[in-house]
């Protein structure tokens, strides 16, 4: 960060400051410049796909008109400023995207080509994360990732901050045709129910999305109905 603040070309710094945007692109390209063209160390696709997206009534930066065009221009201008543009001496090279069609960890630069393989550079939190995701594949990821997400999903959901859900419609007075589709957050809540991982408040809420589940996955709908009945009986038996 010190290098970014003190050595990033001022024209790049000024663009970021004036647009309140593109700081991530500036840092990625700056690191590539400092490491002789190494590919950007981006978040793994499984991690970005599993993000819980919080609704912003104002639309946020990404909701502004021309957001994608601004970022496209940032990549072009920053690459030119750092000498990474096509035709430059240190032109940004092309890298293979997919290295293993099964592992969710093999998108982007292969693990062995990342900036360091030294365990001394890995904090304990990262070491535990890597160990827990080693067996993630594109086939099983949804069945594994939900258990990490339920606490944050539930807090956001009941606060009306997950777009196209019933609480969101009630809070903001909005309705969209997309509201008829099962969101990934609702899908993960259904998975949690099937694994017996929801509390009573969360179980009661599941009634709101039964219709969505039925239209999305009839087999899951039957399983969810059975799970709801079973857990409701269990709840009555403990009262």
């Amino acid at each position: 960060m010190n290098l970014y603040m003190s050595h990033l070309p001022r024209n790049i710094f000024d663009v970021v400051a004036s647009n309140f945007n593109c700081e991530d692109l500036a840092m990625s390209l700056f690191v590539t410049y400092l490491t002789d063209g190494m590919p950007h160390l981006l978040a793994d696709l499984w991690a970005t796909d599993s993000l819980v997206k919080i609704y912003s009534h104002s639309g946020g930066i990404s909701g502004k008109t021309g957001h994608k065009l601004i970022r496209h221009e940032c990549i072009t201008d920053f690459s030119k400023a750092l000498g990474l543009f096509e035709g430059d001496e240190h032109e940004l090279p092309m890298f293979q995207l997919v290295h293993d069609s099964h592992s969710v960890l093999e998108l982007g630069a292969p693990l062995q080509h990342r900036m360091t393989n030294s365990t001394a550079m890995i904090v304990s939190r990262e070491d535990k994360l890597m160990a827990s995701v080693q067996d993630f594949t594109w086939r099983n990821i949804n069945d594994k990732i939900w258990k990490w997400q339920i606490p944050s999903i539930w807090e956001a959901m009941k606060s009306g901050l997950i777009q196209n859900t019933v609480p969101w419609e009630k809070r903001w007075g909005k309705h969209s045709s997309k509201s008829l589709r099962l969101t990934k957050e609702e899908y993960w809540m259904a998975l949690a129910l099937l694994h017996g991982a929801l509390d009573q408040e969360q179980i009661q809420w599941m009634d709101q999305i039964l219709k969505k589940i039925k239209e999305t996955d009839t087999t899951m709908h039957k399983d969810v109905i059975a799970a709801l009945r079973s857990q409701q009986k269990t709840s009555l038996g403990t009262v």
Side-chain angles (χ1 to χ4, degrees):
M1 183 56 75
N2 286 335
L3 286 173
Y4 179 92
M5 296 298 294
S6 60
H7 289 79
L8 185 73
R10 288 299 93 182
N11 57 330
I12 296 180
F13 201 91
D14 291 342
V15 168
V16 171
S18 61
N19 287 290
F20 199 61
N21 201 336
C22 300
E23 72 286 347
D24 55 329
L25 302 176
M27 178 63 85
S28 292
L29 290 168
F30 189 48
V31 169
T32 292
Y33 165 76
L34 294 173
T35 55
D36 294 324
M38 287 288 287
H40 315 319
L41 188 60
L42 304 178
D44 285 303
L45 185 60
W46 71 265
T48 58
D49 281 351
S50 62
L51 289 174
V52 178
K53 186 175 182 180
I54 303 299
Y55 174 73
S56 171
H57 187 56
S58 64
I61 294 176
S62 60
K64 292 182 179 178
T65 302
H67 172 71
K68 291 184 178 180
L69 178 60
I70 290 173
R71 290 177 66 80
H72 177 78
E73 292 175 345
C74 283
I75 292 175
T76 300
D77 294 342
F78 296 174
S79 296
K80 289 180 177 179
L82 293 167
L84 301 173
F85 197 67
E86 183 179 358
D88 290 336
E89 182 181 354
H90 301 290
E91 177 183 339
L92 187 64
M94 299 289 289
F95 290 93
Q96 183 179 344
L97 176 62
V98 179
H99 301 275
D100 184 334
S101 60
H102 300 291
S103 172
V104 298
L105 300 177
E106 289 297 330
L107 284 176
L111 293 178
Q112 64 268 28
H113 290 167
R114 292 187 176 183
M115 289 183 66
T116 179
N117 290 321
S118 171
T119 55
M121 298 293 291
I122 301 177
V123 297
S124 59
R125 180 173 176 271
E126 183 180 2
D127 196 35
K128 290 179 181 178
L129 175 63
M130 291 302 296
S132 64
V133 302
Q134 282 300 321
D135 63 338
F136 278 18
T137 68
W138 296 114
R139 288 178 177 271
N140 68 23
I141 188 169
N142 275 326
D143 293 328
K144 291 178 176 291
I145 200 67
W146 64 265
K147 61 189 69 175
W148 295 355
Q149 305 294 59
I150 293 305
S152 56
I153 287 174
W154 177 240
E155 288 302 317
M157 190 91 73
K158 67 181 182 180
S159 298
L161 295 175
I162 302 295
Q163 194 167 357
N164 300 318
T165 61
V166 172
W168 172 80
E169 290 183 341
K170 290 180 178 179
R171 175 171 179 175
W172 303 104
K174 295 189 175 187
H175 180 75
S176 155
S177 59
K178 292 182 180 179
S179 297
L180 301 176
R181 305 173 191 167
L182 195 68
T183 67
K184 68 179 181 182
E185 292 83 6
E186 291 170 329
Y187 177 75
W188 284 331
M189 290 289 288
L191 283 177
L193 173 70
L194 297 179
H195 285 82
L198 299 185
D199 60 29
Q200 278 307 117
E201 183 183 6
Q202 294 165 341
I203 289 171
Q204 292 174 0
W205 174 86
M206 289 298 296
D207 286 332
Q208 298 181 9
I209 63 169
L210 283 177
K211 183 178 179 180
K212 285 187 178 183
I213 296 174
K214 184 176 182 180
E215 293 177 352
T216 303
D217 188 330
T218 54
T219 300
M220 172 179 269
H221 180 257
K222 293 177 182 178
D223 293 340
V224 166
I225 291 292
L228 282 173
R229 288 174 178 170
S230 174
Q231 294 187 40
Q232 286 168 351
K233 287 180 181 179
T234 301
S235 175
L236 289 173
T238 57
V239 173

